[in-house]
Amino acid sequence: MADFSTSDLSRRSGDIIAEALRRPVTITQRHKPRLVLLSIEDYRQLVARGETRRVGTIDTISDERLAEFEAALDAYEAGDESP
């Protein structure tokens, strides 16, 4: 991800927009990341991924997912990264 300052944004907006059409751009202010500029296609993909997540409880989880979750916990306890 490319980084630009807010000062760069006021002086080089055309260059920054062109870069943001290729990949996300971070805008910093006082050396801290403050904003991300990204193409509409990247934004839509990001939003679409977020919409697929659902909130639930242990009572509503499917048996298959519960088994996967328990296997992952067991692997974690055993010190193995992959279930």
Side-chain angles (χ1 to χ4, degrees):
M1 188 177 311
D3 293 332
F4 295 94
S5 69
T6 52
S7 297
D8 293 332
L9 185 59
S10 65
R11 290 190 314 266
R12 302 175 49 204
S13 61
D15 295 336
I16 295 171
I17 290 170
E19 183 67 20
L21 289 171
R22 288 189 289 275
R23 61 187 176 148
V25 170
T26 301
I27 306 298
T28 61
Q29 187 176 39
R30 295 184 180 98
H31 306 288
K32 294 181 181 178
R34 298 292 184 197
L35 304 165
V36 174
L37 184 64
L38 62 152
S39 70
I40 191 67
E41 292 85 9
D42 288 344
Y43 172 75
R44 287 179 178 150
Q45 287 177 357
L46 186 63
V47 169
R49 275 190 289 179
E51 290 174 356
T52 62
R53 294 185 288 176
R54 301 285 181 253
V55 175
T57 67
I58 198 73
D59 297 326
T60 61
I61 194 169
S62 70
D63 291 339
E64 180 182 324
R65 291 281 183 206
L66 182 57
E68 290 175 11
F69 181 71
E70 288 171 339
L73 282 176
D74 291 342
Y76 178 77
E77 284 180 340
D80 185 10
E81 295 273 329
S82 59

